[in-house]
Amino acid sequence: MKAKRVPRALREQQMLDAAVKVFSRSGYHAASMDEIAEECDVSKPMLYLYLGSKEELFAACIRREADRLIARFAEAADPSLEPGDQLFRGLTAFFAFVAEHRDSWIVLYQQARAQGEPVVAEVAAARAEVSGAVTTLLRRAVREVGGDDVPGPRAGEARPDRGEAAAMAAIITGAADALAGWVLDTGPEAAEESARRLMSVIWIGLEPRLRGARYGG
Amino acid sequence: MKAKRVPRALREQQMLDAAVKVFSRSGYHAASMDEIAEECDVSKPMLYLYLGSKEELFAACIRREADRLIARFAEAADPSLEPGDQLFRGLTAFFAFVAEHRDSWIVLYQQARAQGEPVVAEVAAARAEVSGAVTTLLRRAVREVGGDDVPGPRAGEARPDRGEAAAMAAIITGAADALAGWVLDTGPEAAEESARRLMSVIWIGLEPRLRGARYGG
Amino acid sequence: MKAKRVPRALREQQMLDAAVKVFSRSGYHAASMDEIAEECDVSKPMLYLYLGSKEELFAACIRREADRLIARFAEAADPSLEPGDQLFRGLTAFFAFVAEHRDSWIVLYQQARAQGEPVVAEVAAARAEVSGAVTTLLRRAVREVGGDDVPGPRAGEARPDRGEAAAMAAIITGAADALAGWVLDTGPEAAEESARRLMSVIWIGLEPRLRGARYGG
Amino acid sequence: MKAKRVPRALREQQMLDAAVKVFSRSGYHAASMDEIAEECDVSKPMLYLYLGSKEELFAACIRREADRLIARFAEAADPSLEPGDQLFRGLTAFFAFVAEHRDSWIVLYQQARAQGEPVVAEVAAARAEVSGAVTTLLRRAVREVGGDDVPGPRAGEARPDRGEAAAMAAIITGAADALAGWVLDTGPEAAEESARRLMSVIWIGLEPRLRGARYGG
DNA sequence: TATGAATGAGGGTTCATTCAT
DNA sequence: CATGAATGAACCCTCATTCAT
């Protein structure tokens, strides 16, 4: 109860920790500033002094956790590897992150996606960054595999275009997201195992796809 | 002010329509009963008289929309077809539903997943029903493809077990979910096209997978 | 559900019955017109058509039950008896009434006394009528016992004046009231027994009092 | 608008003061939290922050006022006195309390008795404590007067039993209650005068009664 | 005679946010 | 650096009451 003097930088981290915990537990709207303040043993005025407002606080959470996640993914997906391995390692890092930072992931993916208006922007940006990394990876894969420039899929030609890379990235991140949720609900398993599960479904199909193969040929 | 007499059964549908619209726009918590009442030109007491409470109203929305979606999917995924076609038609129906009932889908998938506690159950149930249909489909596919009984993947054997069918269903619905979101953000395209996109990624890989092939050998 | 045509006079009684039941159960404010309408299987508009408003409905209840109670008391307290017997019989009738018409009594005494403003008048009037009967009885007793005219108690003289008769009536009705409540809480006993209990406390003291004896005198 | 800083302990008392005033004026149900908040120049959230809810606020009022009343009574009814004096002094204290704390008494006795369900418990408990004090006093009186053990009144024997002591306590408190109301309605008089009035009716009869005399015996 | 459909108004409760210390 | 005290604004819900049939 007696508030020990704590330097600002540290306090802010404690606040973000508490906020992530509470946001993940109750969702953005249902979470209350009282709850968060209590969780980190600080009075509400401090919260406002340091983080500005509920919305800004939430945005700060999103930013910090997204940065952490992206760092993990980027670090693992060494660009010197070939695309398949890159993706596999990246996904492994992702599942490891989810297991370690359960709350962070819940806020990023489950809670955040939903809200109306004010909050959406932050999360959309964070998510875009993540799937942007995957998109980049896929584009490189296409180039390496196919060689020449890539026309759209609609015109009858086979190889995927830029837009389609984004669609695939959406599919992959969505699938990873869902699988992470499934693992969290079902019981833990090694991050590598989850990554392999996912790769087994998508990559075997994705590789030929990158060469132009399509379902319904 | 208006007070046009409308029979109960009809009014309830109007109310659900309005509620779906508002919930999809603002999310469960941010949506207010006033907003919903205004949206369907009815006073709040009528909402409460017919639908009971905000929570019950939300549950009724979820139920109605989930039933619609499941009906569409089930109707399309004719069990007499072979598994690949079944899934393709089912997904096509799904994407068509999302395009037609944008709000319904948003409530079911985007808004619903997030909330803390009270609402989650309804949505979880609805989602379970959907991915349950896919799981069933995959199990049948495994049987048809593999012939004999199916051991687990952890023990070193190759073919996916029952739990893994659920994981795959999660992956597929998650991927479909994400792709639907991408289509909604990016601009419309034919439902068949989206389904083909998705099948191109997952089915080409899934079929060998059903026979026991795995990534990373 | 199908409303059988019922003549107005009868319906009104049914409504009052239901209202008494509900008012006694929940109190004036907490009772809702819906509850009452449902209790007597009639639609709310009928309630309003016949009884006017919640307040009027309550007043009608009070009036009817108070009249019943007063009739019982008056009938029993035969003025040809001597005062002690008169009171004893009156009280016996009162306790019998309470036992038979539990709800009526609760509304009259427990619920009714409390409310703020609008309702109070009706109840005050009814109660005044009851204790008025007792006051009359006591005045006659004083006359019979004492003979001559009665000065006030403040001037040093002994015999009770008119005001004091009212005070005594208040004491007696209050005591009867409390004892009735006690009996209701504790378990039933014969009305005569209750009356005797009460008389044993008050009358033995009251009789000398009527002659001018006082405590601390 | 005002926002004068007042320490919590004090504010709580102000709130209880205001609440007692308003509850006594309008009754539990009819009283609104807005009214109470306005009465003590505080915003509603403060009320809720400090006292929890309307029900808890009411309970707190009851508790505080009941404690005050009981303290007054107990302090006056010095157990070293003989029973009659004890009761006389206790009643005097009671009537003094009623005159001084009109609202408190109204809440305790008039308003509180009535309500449906939630509130009843608190008041019942408080009232039980009061008449418990009287019961104790009567029991001691019985012992002092009668000497030996006390059988029930139903079996033909004369002296009152334990249950009957409670009945008598109910009678006495009910009578005091009623007389207090009468005094409040009629105009003030000295507390001693009221107590003497009441003793004159009940004690002269009660004393013989304690020895076994009965009406109609 | 009888009712399903409808509402204005208000009550209890909570929340994000800010002073004054 | 830190907080207890305070509030405007909403939100969910319910009620007494009335049309239109």
Side-chain angles (χ1 to χ4, degrees):
Chain A
M1 293 281 155
K2 274 291 165 59
K4 289 176 300 193
R5 297 285 172 115
V6 171
R8 172 157 185 164
L10 181 51
R11 259 287 139 82
E12 279 185 351
Q13 293 308 311
Q14 294 174 356
M15 287 172 179
L16 290 178
D17 291 344
V20 167
K21 206 161 167 181
V22 173
F23 281 135
S24 87
R25 188 196 303 147
S26 323
Y28 175 73
H29 264 99
S32 85
M33 294 299 270
D34 284 274
E35 222 177 331
I36 296 172
E38 197 166 348
E39 179 76 38
C40 59
D41 266 317
V42 162
S43 67
K44 264 187 299 176
M46 290 300 292
L47 265 188
Y48 280 88
L49 184 61
Y50 285 179
L51 276 320
S53 76
K54 190 185 185 183
E55 209 174 317
E56 286 172 89
L57 171 56
F58 185 77
C61 290
I62 293 295
R63 192 99 308 275
R64 191 183 71 168
E65 305 308 326
D67 285 351
R68 283 177 176 172
L69 171 54
I70 290 162
R72 282 284 205 92
F73 184 91
E75 187 182 342
D78 180 347
S80 70
L81 300 172
E82 57 170 320
D85 278 2
Q86 239 186 96
L87 188 53
F88 175 67
R89 305 256 174 116
L91 288 174
T92 302
F94 167 75
F95 287 112
F97 178 86
V98 172
E100 275 172 54
H101 297 4
R102 199 191 163 95
D103 291 340
S104 310
W105 179 75
I106 290 178
V107 172
L108 277 173
Y109 283 81
Q110 311 282 97
Q111 306 286 357
R113 186 189 292 183
Q115 316 308 332
E117 297 200 33
V119 154
V120 145
E122 301 300 331
V123 181
R127 286 191 66 99
E129 233 166 311
V130 174
S131 65
V134 176
T135 307
T136 304
L137 188 158
L138 291 178
R139 288 236 189 78
R140 283 209 348 179
V142 170
R143 266 203 307 282
E144 281 171 28
V145 158
D148 42 54
D149 236 5
V150 188
R154 264 165 251 255
E157 347 60 331
R159 213 121 29 60
D161 66 351
R162 331 194 97 224
E164 212 178 354
M168 283 178 191
I171 289 174
I172 292 173
T173 53
D177 190 2
L179 182 53
W182 184 83
V183 169
L184 243 50
D185 286 355
T186 308
E189 68 177 17
E192 271 204 336
E193 176 67 21
S194 304
R196 199 170 290 126
R197 271 185 204 277
L198 187 50
M199 290 297 281
S200 294
V201 174
I202 61 170
W203 191 252
I204 297 183
L206 207 51
E207 243 216 326
R209 179 81 199 81
L210 295 175
R211 290 201 180 77
R214 296 199 80 190
Y215 173 82
Chain B
M1 293 274 163
K2 299 287 179 68
K4 280 190 303 202
R5 291 296 178 101
V6 172
R8 174 163 184 160
L10 182 51
R11 258 288 138 81
E12 279 184 352
Q13 293 308 313
Q14 295 174 357
M15 287 171 178
L16 290 179
D17 291 344
V20 166
K21 207 160 166 182
V22 173
F23 281 135
S24 87
R25 188 195 303 147
S26 323
Y28 176 74
H29 264 100
S32 87
M33 293 298 269
D34 283 276
E35 219 178 332
I36 295 173
E38 199 166 344
E39 178 76 38
C40 60
D41 266 317
V42 162
S43 65
K44 253 189 307 178
M46 290 300 292
L47 270 186
Y48 282 89
L49 185 60
Y50 285 176
L51 275 319
S53 75
K54 190 184 185 182
E55 207 174 318
E56 285 173 275
L57 171 57
F58 184 77
C61 290
I62 293 294
R63 193 97 308 273
R64 191 183 72 168
E65 305 309 326
D67 285 351
R68 283 178 177 173
L69 170 55
I70 290 163
R72 281 285 205 90
F73 184 91
E75 189 182 342
D78 180 346
S80 71
L81 300 171
E82 56 170 321
D85 279 3
Q86 241 188 96
L87 188 53
F88 175 67
R89 305 256 174 116
L91 288 174
T92 303
F94 167 74
F95 288 111
F97 178 88
V98 172
E100 274 173 54
H101 298 350
R102 198 191 163 93
D103 292 339
S104 310
W105 178 76
I106 291 178
V107 172
L108 277 173
Y109 283 82
Q110 312 281 99
Q111 307 285 357
R113 187 188 292 184
Q115 317 308 333
E117 297 201 33
V119 155
V120 147
E122 302 298 334
V123 180
R127 285 191 67 100
E129 232 167 312
V130 174
S131 65
V134 176
T135 307
T136 304
L137 190 156
L138 291 179
R139 288 234 189 80
R140 285 209 347 177
V142 170
R143 266 203 305 284
E144 280 172 27
V145 159
D148 40 53
D149 239 5
V150 187
R154 263 166 250 251
E157 351 54 336
R159 214 120 27 59
D161 66 350
R162 329 197 97 225
E164 212 177 352
M168 284 179 189
I171 290 174
I172 293 174
T173 52
D177 191 1
L179 182 53
W182 185 82
V183 169
L184 243 49
D185 285 357
T186 308
E189 69 177 15
E192 270 204 335
E193 177 63 23
S194 304
R196 198 170 291 124
R197 271 186 205 276
L198 186 51
M199 290 296 281
S200 293
V201 175
I202 62 169
W203 192 251
I204 296 182
L206 206 53
E207 243 216 325
R209 179 83 198 78
L210 295 175
R211 288 205 178 77
R214 299 197 80 189
Y215 173 82
Chain C
M1 294 280 158
K2 273 292 166 59
K4 289 174 300 194
R5 297 286 173 116
V6 171
R8 172 158 186 161
L10 181 50
R11 259 287 139 83
E12 280 184 349
Q13 292 309 309
Q14 294 173 355
M15 287 172 178
L16 291 177
D17 291 344
V20 167
K21 206 160 165 183
V22 174
F23 281 134
S24 87
R25 189 196 302 148
S26 324
Y28 174 75
H29 263 100
S32 85
M33 294 297 270
D34 284 272
E35 222 178 330
I36 296 172
E38 197 166 346
E39 179 77 38
C40 60
D41 265 318
V42 161
S43 66
K44 265 188 299 178
M46 291 299 294
L47 265 187
Y48 281 88
L49 186 61
Y50 284 178
L51 275 319
S53 76
K54 190 184 185 183
E55 209 174 316
E56 287 173 89
L57 171 56
F58 185 78
C61 290
I62 294 295
R63 192 96 313 273
R64 191 183 71 169
E65 305 309 326
D67 285 352
R68 283 177 176 172
L69 170 55
I70 291 162
R72 281 286 206 87
F73 185 90
E75 188 182 341
D78 180 346
S80 72
L81 300 171
E82 58 169 320
D85 279 3
Q86 240 187 96
L87 188 53
F88 175 67
R89 304 257 174 117
L91 287 174
T92 303
F94 166 75
F95 288 111
F97 177 87
V98 172
E100 274 172 55
H101 298 4
R102 200 191 161 93
D103 291 341
S104 310
W105 178 76
I106 290 178
V107 172
L108 278 173
Y109 283 81
Q110 311 282 97
Q111 308 285 358
R113 186 190 290 184
Q115 316 309 334
E117 297 199 33
V119 154
V120 146
E122 301 298 331
V123 180
R127 285 190 66 99
E129 232 167 311
V130 174
S131 65
V134 175
T135 307
T136 305
L137 190 158
L138 291 179
R139 289 237 189 76
R140 284 208 347 179
V142 171
R143 267 203 307 282
E144 280 171 29
V145 159
D148 42 52
D149 236 6
V150 187
R154 262 165 253 254
E157 354 48 342
R159 213 122 27 60
D161 64 352
R162 329 196 96 226
E164 213 178 352
M168 284 178 190
I171 289 173
I172 293 173
T173 52
D177 190 2
L179 184 52
W182 185 82
V183 170
L184 243 50
D185 285 354
T186 308
E189 68 177 18
E192 270 204 334
E193 176 64 22
S194 303
R196 199 169 292 126
R197 271 184 205 276
L198 187 49
M199 290 297 282
S200 293
V201 174
I202 62 169
W203 191 252
I204 296 182
L206 206 52
E207 243 217 326
R209 180 79 198 82
L210 295 174
R211 288 203 180 77
R214 296 199 81 190
Y215 173 83
Chain D
M1 293 274 162
K2 299 288 178 69
K4 279 189 304 202
R5 291 296 178 99
V6 173
R8 174 165 184 158
L10 181 50
R11 257 290 138 80
E12 278 184 352
Q13 293 308 310
Q14 294 174 357
M15 287 172 178
L16 290 178
D17 292 343
V20 166
K21 206 161 167 182
V22 173
F23 281 135
S24 87
R25 189 197 302 147
S26 323
Y28 175 74
H29 264 101
S32 86
M33 294 297 270
D34 284 278
E35 220 178 332
I36 297 172
E38 199 165 347
E39 179 76 40
C40 58
D41 266 316
V42 162
S43 66
K44 256 189 304 177
M46 289 302 290
L47 272 186
Y48 282 89
L49 185 60
Y50 286 176
L51 276 318
S53 75
K54 189 182 186 184
E55 208 174 316
E56 285 172 274
L57 171 56
F58 185 77
C61 290
I62 293 296
R63 193 95 310 272
R64 191 184 71 169
E65 304 310 325
D67 285 351
R68 282 177 177 173
L69 170 54
I70 290 163
R72 280 284 206 91
F73 183 91
E75 188 183 343
D78 180 347
S80 70
L81 301 171
E82 56 170 321
D85 279 2
Q86 241 187 95
L87 188 54
F88 175 68
R89 305 259 174 114
L91 288 174
T92 303
F94 167 74
F95 287 112
F97 178 87
V98 173
E100 275 172 54
H101 298 346
R102 199 193 162 93
D103 291 340
S104 309
W105 178 77
I106 291 180
V107 172
L108 277 174
Y109 285 80
Q110 311 282 97
Q111 306 287 356
R113 186 187 294 184
Q115 316 309 333
E117 296 200 33
V119 156
V120 145
E122 303 297 332
V123 181
R127 286 193 67 100
E129 232 167 311
V130 174
S131 65
V134 176
T135 306
T136 304
L137 190 157
L138 291 178
R139 289 235 189 80
R140 286 208 348 177
V142 170
R143 267 202 307 280
E144 282 173 27
V145 158
D148 42 55
D149 237 6
V150 186
R154 262 166 251 253
E157 349 58 331
R159 216 125 22 64
D161 65 352
R162 328 198 97 224
E164 212 177 353
M168 283 179 190
I171 289 173
I172 292 173
T173 52
D177 189 2
L179 183 53
W182 184 83
V183 169
L184 243 48
D185 285 355
T186 309
E189 69 177 17
E192 272 205 332
E193 177 64 23
S194 304
R196 199 171 289 123
R197 272 185 204 278
L198 187 50
M199 290 297 280
S200 294
V201 175
I202 61 169
W203 191 251
I204 297 183
L206 207 52
E207 243 217 325
R209 179 81 197 80
L210 296 176
R211 290 204 177 75
R214 296 199 79 191
Y215 174 83

